[in-house]
Amino acid sequence: MRALVLCCLVFVIQGCKNLPVDQAVQVGARPYYLIDKMTDGPLKQQLAECGNGPFYKTDFVIGHRGAPMQFPEHSKESYLAAARMGAGVLECDVAFTKDKQLVCRHSQCDLHTTTNILAIPELAAKCSQPFTPTKDGQPAQAKCCTSDITQAEFLTLKAKMDGANANAKTVAEYMQGTPSWRTDLYANSGTVMTHQQSIKLFKSLGVKMTPELKSPEVSMPFNGFSQQDYAQKMLDEYRASGVNSNHVYPQSFNLEDVKYWLKNHPEFANNSIYLDGRDEQADFDAMDETTWQPSMQALYNDGVRIIAPPMWMLLSLDESGAIVPSLYAIKAKQAGLNIITWSLERSGPLNNGGGYYYQSIARVIKQDGQMMKVVDVLAKQVGVMAIFSDWPATLTYYASCMQYPASES
């Protein structure tokens, strides 16, 4: 015990490097802020009584791109922050470079908003669309893709907070687009990562891994690199690194990618995740099961075991205005599907209804403290197995308080 105390006294200097990960979990001030903002009642009281912890790592908590509320997404720093906050699972969104190597990036073509590529003239010149300043009412624009540059060139970049200034007249102005409710305080030197580097880091942190195969924004096959080659290469890098398949949750919005893994890699079958983005289809209605093609039962019959829609698709309001599971959530469970959802802490302040992620319950969303109630409904009534979060500490506090199982490395 004395050694533990001494270690924690020097934490700010050394990061408590010798302290076991589960014991070193830190939740910071944000969960307490959210609980303080909650309406008085049994849930608030229960959560408030857990203020002294203990807090621990749990697989209920997925670091969505790391911890991008305050750190550049998919950067080493973002991943380390998420792990320190108790995320038992970390996400690398996987895109490919010009030389067909895999890197962590949320979109194949987001380098102009998530890195400093435009500030490096020799790399900016390789972008699919060079920077053009705002003019005559037209927004400033650029488009820089991982497929525009090699992996070696990618590794010379620095990650920044995702954002762009559409009114920019210069590159420097364009790069200053961080939303006001985030921060650039930790964004001066974000370390970009290859997929293989993320695997090595995640292994060292003792966390599970959930790579997302991102949809290509170039025509496939890309210089002979087919979609199946891409899906295969992602899993091959886990095998080559000796990662237990039970510790990997491959994801894709493309159902054909998931079916490829189910057919060709049964060891990953139970963990493969179908990300449901069908709300972008004009004929899809999350509250009308006749528009769900394929149906929940058809997905299960095809071998899918985990479905992952955005949070709003799982939530509805009853006649009294209480937040309850949606028809979508009920039918998914009835079909035998496990559910993961995304993404908590991505909406900013909730005083205006919460935006995209709360749209099905926007009528009753008035303030930040309701986030904990939403988590409670997702956990206890919908029965989700995990939630992606841009600030994992919020979920870690909740899961530790509710005594969810600790993550096993």
Side-chain angles (χ1 to χ4, degrees), residues 129-363:
Q129 180 181 343
F131 169 74
T132 55
T134 182
K135 185 177 181 180
D136 299 329
Q138 296 298 310
Q141 296 183 21
K143 183 179 181 180
C144 303
C145 308
T146 57
S147 50
D148 292 334
I149 59 177
T150 66
Q151 185 183 83
E153 290 170 329
F154 172 83
L155 287 171
T156 67
L157 302 175
K158 293 297 182 183
K160 75 176 191 69
M161 296 298 283
D162 186 16
N165 177 6
N167 297 314
K169 295 182 179 180
T170 67
V171 165
E173 289 176 350
Y174 184 78
M175 293 173 61
Q176 295 173 358
T178 303
S180 61
W181 51 272
R182 295 191 179 186
T183 179
D184 286 315
L185 188 62
Y186 309 111
N188 290 325
S189 58
T191 306
V192 298
M193 304 198 76
T194 69
H195 180 231
Q196 289 179 325
Q197 287 174 336
S198 77
I199 294 172
K200 182 177 181 180
L201 176 65
F202 297 170
K203 286 179 68 176
S204 73
L205 294 172
V207 298
K208 296 182 175 65
M209 313 170 196
T210 184
E212 180 189 336
L213 195 74
K214 299 305 296 187
S215 298
E217 295 188 39
V218 295
S219 297
M220 298 295 279
F222 176 76
N223 296 334
F225 190 56
S226 70
Q227 184 68 26
Q228 290 190 348
D229 292 336
Y230 182 27
Q232 180 67 47
K233 185 176 180 67
M234 188 179 83
L235 295 191
D236 283 346
E237 294 195 349
Y238 290 94
R239 287 173 158 175
S241 299
V243 179
N244 187 325
S245 61
N246 290 331
H247 292 175
V248 182
Y249 294 82
Q251 335 161 46
S252 180
F253 281 99
N254 181 357
L255 185 56
E256 294 306 310
D257 292 335
V258 179
K259 289 181 177 180
Y260 175 82
W261 295 325
L262 296 177
K263 178 180 178 181
N264 295 282
H265 300 283
E267 70 273 27
F268 292 96
N270 287 334
N271 284 3
S272 294
I273 302 170
Y274 171 45
L275 295 164
D276 193 349
R278 291 177 292 175
D279 60 312
E280 295 185 357
Q281 300 174 5
D283 58 351
F284 180 84
D285 182 348
M287 307 309 167
D288 180 358
E289 64 178 310
T290 65
T291 69
W292 308 344
Q293 300 299 327
S295 67
M296 297 297 184
Q297 194 60 56
L299 288 170
Y300 186 88
N301 292 344
D302 283 342
V304 175
R305 293 296 177 266
I306 305 175
I307 193 168
M311 295 192 308
W312 72 266
M313 287 169 59
L314 298 172
L315 302 171
S316 187
L317 299 174
D318 67 13
E319 293 181 354
S320 69
I323 302 171
V324 295
S326 68
L327 177 66
Y328 180 106
I330 293 168
K331 292 297 182 178
K333 282 293 186 178
Q334 287 178 350
L337 295 169
N338 291 312
I339 303 172
I340 291 174
T341 193
W342 42 276
S343 295
L344 197 73
E345 297 280 30
R346 193 154 187 84
S347 303
L350 300 186
N351 54 307
N352 291 315
Y356 172 80
Y357 293 98
Y358 295 83
Q359 60 186 279
S360 60
I361 56 172
R363 178 165 59 89

Side-chain angles (χ1 to χ4, degrees), residues 11-30:
F11 186 88
V12 293
I13 301 175
Q14 299 183 25
C16 231
K17 294 178 181 178
N18 297 321
L19 194 63
V21 173
D22 287 351
Q23 293 180 341
V25 165
Q26 306 166 67
V27 296
R30 181 156 177 80

Side-chain angles (χ1 to χ4, degrees), residues 20-39:
V21 173
D22 287 351
Q23 293 180 341
V25 165
Q26 306 166 67
V27 296
R30 181 156 177 80
Y32 300 92
Y33 163 81
L34 294 173
I35 295 166
D36 287 343
K37 294 293 183 181
M38 293 177 69
T39 302

Side-chain angles (χ1 to χ4, degrees), residues 39-67:
T39 302
D40 289 342
L43 179 60
K44 179 176 182 176
Q45 181 177 349
Q46 182 180 8
L47 291 171
E49 290 173 353
C50 295
N52 292 325
F55 304 111
Y56 53 85
K57 180 176 66 174
T58 167
D59 294 349
F60 182 73
V61 183
I62 304 176
H64 181 235
R65 315 181 201 178

